[in-house]
Amino acid sequence: MASRLSFANITALAPMVRVGTLPMRLLALDYGADVVYCEELIDIKMAQCRRVENEVLQTVDFVAPDDRVMFRTCEKEKQRVVFQMGTADPDRALAVARLVEKDVAAIDVNMGCPKEYSTKGGMGAALLSDPDKIEAILRKLVSGVSVPVTCKIRILPSLEDTLTLARRIEKTGVAAVAVHGRFKDERPRHPVHCDYIGAVARAVAVPVIANGGSLDLVKTHGDIQAFRVAAGASSVMLARAAMWNPSVFRSAGPLPLHDVMIQYLKYALRYDNHAFNSKYCLCQMLRDKVESALGKRVQAAQNNQELSEAFDLVGVFEETQAALEARRDALQSPERLRDHVIAVDGDVTTMALKFQRREYPPQLTPKMFLLEWSRRQKLEQPTYQTVQRAQDRAFQSTVTVENRKYRSSLWEKSKKFAEQASAVVCLRARGIPESHVGQENGGRPHKRKTEDGRDVGQEKRTKQTGDGERETGGS
């Protein structure tokens, strides 16, 4: 069993909304961060997610009902990533923590963010005025999960109240407390109160992580230790300094920003990060150069390919896409599919597979095989219902045969391919032979007959099929 994460004498990437996604976390670890926090994720949304092992990306994804990936992580960061949640409910917090605890190194509760998206519903800095709820949440988590639990707070207007809260938090059994040295109504332009952080560090025995030094105190890696000493804290976490240039974690000194951005984008491509999130992070790195020629190209980009073009990384983009496609194909090999697990979700039978056009004879498709089989069995013809996913316009189809439903859990690039994939699931789940299995006659498929005696393979490419779809050679 892996050792528990220590928060003593560490330098961490602070939790930052829209910034602390997987590419930025991995980059910070590469450059020397000891621990990385994900962006704050709201418990209500996370509680609805399902855990999915993404074999293509080699990640673990937590996927919302609308198929958005709320949190993505991988083996490389497993022992050093802290999952931060926004919560105001002990039971819901525990449910979310148990959902993710096997894939993260620790759980953190956000009690410091003053923004409305965090404070609404009593989360974030709103918790600072409800110490009873703070204690209830933390005790529930500490006793309910196997990984360390921490929290991140802001200082209160009174030093005495701040110390009282810190001591009360310590008694819940947390592994560390991160302290942002600003009051709830202060913003990054205000100086950080190192004296408050130091007082908290002296008042409790658990490690205290100082936060808030990016404005005045931390410009380079050498400043991190100076901030640690000024705050009297065990550890330091960096937000904006790391957002502007993650190589601030390098003991050997920062790298040119352009090189850092390229490395970030390579991770974004490798892990299929949403293009608009990648664009946001790149623009934060550009800062006052966001209106430069490069900045304008980044802002104009609408997808990962266009982001790659902005940095002259078209070759990297194509290689990455080819590698991911090869992995998809390998996962869909006949050997894998023979042993593929069939899942039943309610009244829907699912398999994780895609329609591979090259596996079928010319002018023949799984839909045609399924239609022919249904006619021979004197069943009603199959019906298809297809939905489109908003974020990437991918398609998923469900086919109904004999009042039973079948679909692929993988999404396709077109409506046609989605329908074909659902037909494949139906054929394989029911054990209906497909012509590409056991072909004879020198590799040529057997001629298959429709109910009226015609050769299916001789139908014209644009002939209207019995299920109402116009088939083409590219389907």
Side-chain angles (χ1 to χ4, degrees):
M1 183 174 178
S3 60
R4 287 167 66 89
L5 182 64
S6 171
F7 292 88
N9 301 310
I10 64 161
T11 303
L13 175 71
M16 290 180 281
V17 172
R18 298 181 69 185
V19 174
T21 47
L22 182 58
M24 182 65 79
R25 300 196 304 266
L26 294 179
L27 198 61
L29 290 174
D30 285 349
Y31 290 145
D34 300 301
V35 174
V36 290
Y37 285 67
C38 75
E39 60 178 336
E40 177 194 17
L41 294 164
I42 306 302
D43 61 353
I44 295 176
K45 295 180 180 179
M46 283 298 302
Q48 302 174 51
C49 290
R50 66 185 189 280
R51 180 184 182 276
V52 177
E53 293 187 14
N54 189 326
E55 293 182 281
V56 174
L57 296 179
Q58 298 173 323
T59 60
V60 175
D61 299 344
F62 293 86
V63 184
D66 62 359
D67 292 301
R68 286 187 301 158
V69 176
M70 301 302 298
F71 176 57
R72 171 169 286 163
T73 184
C74 67
E75 187 66 29
K76 182 175 180 178
E77 67 169 4
K78 183 175 182 179
Q79 303 303 325
R80 294 194 283 173
V81 63
V82 180
F83 179 89
Q84 188 189 67
M85 78 171 83
T87 186
D89 182 272
D91 292 328
R92 195 159 54 231
L94 180 58
V96 172
R98 285 178 170 170
L99 175 67
V100 304
E101 69 173 313
K102 293 181 180 179
D103 300 295
V104 300
I107 304 291
D108 182 80
V109 179
N110 179 6
M111 301 177 180
C113 183
K115 300 290 183 64
E116 183 182 358
Y117 60 74
S118 186
T119 57
K120 64 182 179 182
M123 299 180 295
L127 282 172
L128 295 175
S129 60
D130 194 347
D132 289 341
K133 183 169 287 186
I134 287 177
E135 183 174 346
I137 291 170
L138 294 177
R139 286 192 182 280
K140 193 89 171 184
L141 291 173
V142 169
S143 63
V145 297
S146 59
V147 296
V149 175
T150 65
C151 67
K152 183 172 181 284
I153 67 171
R154 281 193 171 227
I155 59 175
L156 302 175
S158 161
L159 177 58
E160 181 180 353
D161 289 343
T162 303
L163 298 182
T164 298
L165 176 62
R167 293 188 182 105
R168 191 167 178 179
I169 288 172
E170 180 186 25
K171 289 179 180 179
T172 66
V174 295
V177 180
V179 181
H180 186 133
R182 291 186 177 87
F183 304 124
K184 181 180 176 181
D185 59 349
E186 290 185 326
R187 294 297 178 265
R189 65 181 179 275
H190 297 104
V192 63
H193 299 275
C194 287
D195 53 339
Y196 272 66
I197 300 175
V200 172
R202 293 189 295 273
V204 297
V206 296
V208 168
I209 308 170
N211 179 226
S214 293
L215 175 67
D216 299 316
L217 301 178
V218 180
K219 307 296 183 184
T220 67
H221 182 270
D223 298 330
I224 296 175
Q225 178 61 19
F227 179 39
R228 190 194 314 265
V229 172
S234 169
S235 301
V236 170
M237 63 165 50
L238 301 178
R240 287 168 302 139
M243 176 180 71
W244 295 328
N245 189 336
S247 69
V248 69
F249 291 108
R250 289 183 80 244
S251 59
L255 294 172
L257 184 60
H258 192 270
D259 294 349
V260 173
M261 296 172 75
I262 285 177
Q263 292 306 312
Y264 170 87
L265 187 53
K266 287 181 177 179
Y267 269 134
L269 296 175
R270 163 65 181 82
Y271 289 102
D272 195 27
N273 199 51
H274 197 287
F276 289 104
N277 177 254
S278 300
K279 181 165 70 170
Y280 177 83
C281 292
L282 291 167
C283 286
Q284 298 307 306
M285 294 186 212
L286 284 166
R287 298 181 68 189
D288 56 351
K289 295 182 176 62
V290 75
E291 293 301 323
S292 65
L294 175 60
K296 289 179 179 178
R297 293 186 69 185
V298 170
Q299 292 184 76
Q302 296 298 303
N303 51 50
N304 283 327
Q305 181 173 353
E306 292 177 3
L307 283 174
S308 301
E309 291 170 354
F311 288 89
D312 295 325
L313 292 178
V314 174
V316 173
F317 171 80
E318 293 175 347
E319 289 173 6
T320 303
Q321 295 303 304
L324 294 178
E325 190 61 36
R327 196 172 296 141
R328 289 188 189 96
D329 290 346
L331 292 169
Q332 297 302 317
S333 66
E335 292 77 11
R336 294 269 308 200
L337 290 174
R338 274 197 293 269
D339 299 324
H340 215 290
V341 175
I342 299 176
V344 179
D345 181 9
D347 63 343
V348 182
T349 299
T350 65
M351 294 176 69
L353 54 81
K354 284 182 173 287
F355 168 57
Q356 302 289 350
R357 185 67 184 91
R358 63 179 176 272
E359 294 182 0
Y360 293 85
Q363 304 177 19
L364 296 180
T365 66
K367 286 183 65 176
M368 297 172 71
F369 293 133
L370 183 57
L371 176 61
E372 179 190 357
W373 177 86
S374 299
R375 285 172 172 168
R376 288 180 174 176
Q377 299 300 314
K378 302 188 183 305
L379 303 174
E380 293 185 8
Q381 69 182 30
T383 59
Y384 296 82
Q385 289 184 319
T386 305
V387 296
Q388 185 175 25
R389 191 163 58 185
Q391 67 267 31
D392 60 0
R393 299 184 179 181
F395 293 85
Q396 185 181 61
S397 185
T398 302
V399 62
T400 301
V401 177
E402 286 192 292
N403 296 318
R404 295 171 62 183
K405 298 179 179 180
Y406 305 85
R407 76 163 67 106
S408 172
S409 60
L410 305 180
W411 293 68
E412 293 279 6
K413 61 185 178 182
S414 71
K415 179 176 180 290
K416 277 187 177 180
F417 274 45
E419 291 179 347
Q420 299 292 359
S422 67
V424 174
V425 172
C426 180
L427 292 167
R428 298 186 185 180
R430 299 183 71 123
I432 301 170
E434 302 167 63
S435 73
H436 68 292
V437 178
Q439 290 180 6
E440 301 177 20
N441 300 326
R444 296 176 61 191
H446 293 293
K447 291 183 178 180
R448 302 173 68 89
K449 304 286 187 179
T450 62
E451 280 293 297
D452 57 8
R454 292 175 299 163
D455 291 341
V456 175
Q458 297 301 312
E459 291 181 340
K460 293 183 179 179
R461 294 175 66 191
T462 57
K463 187 173 183 65
Q464 189 79 17
T465 63
D467 62 355
E469 182 191 76
R470 191 173 296 275
E471 294 285 353
T472 66
S475 63

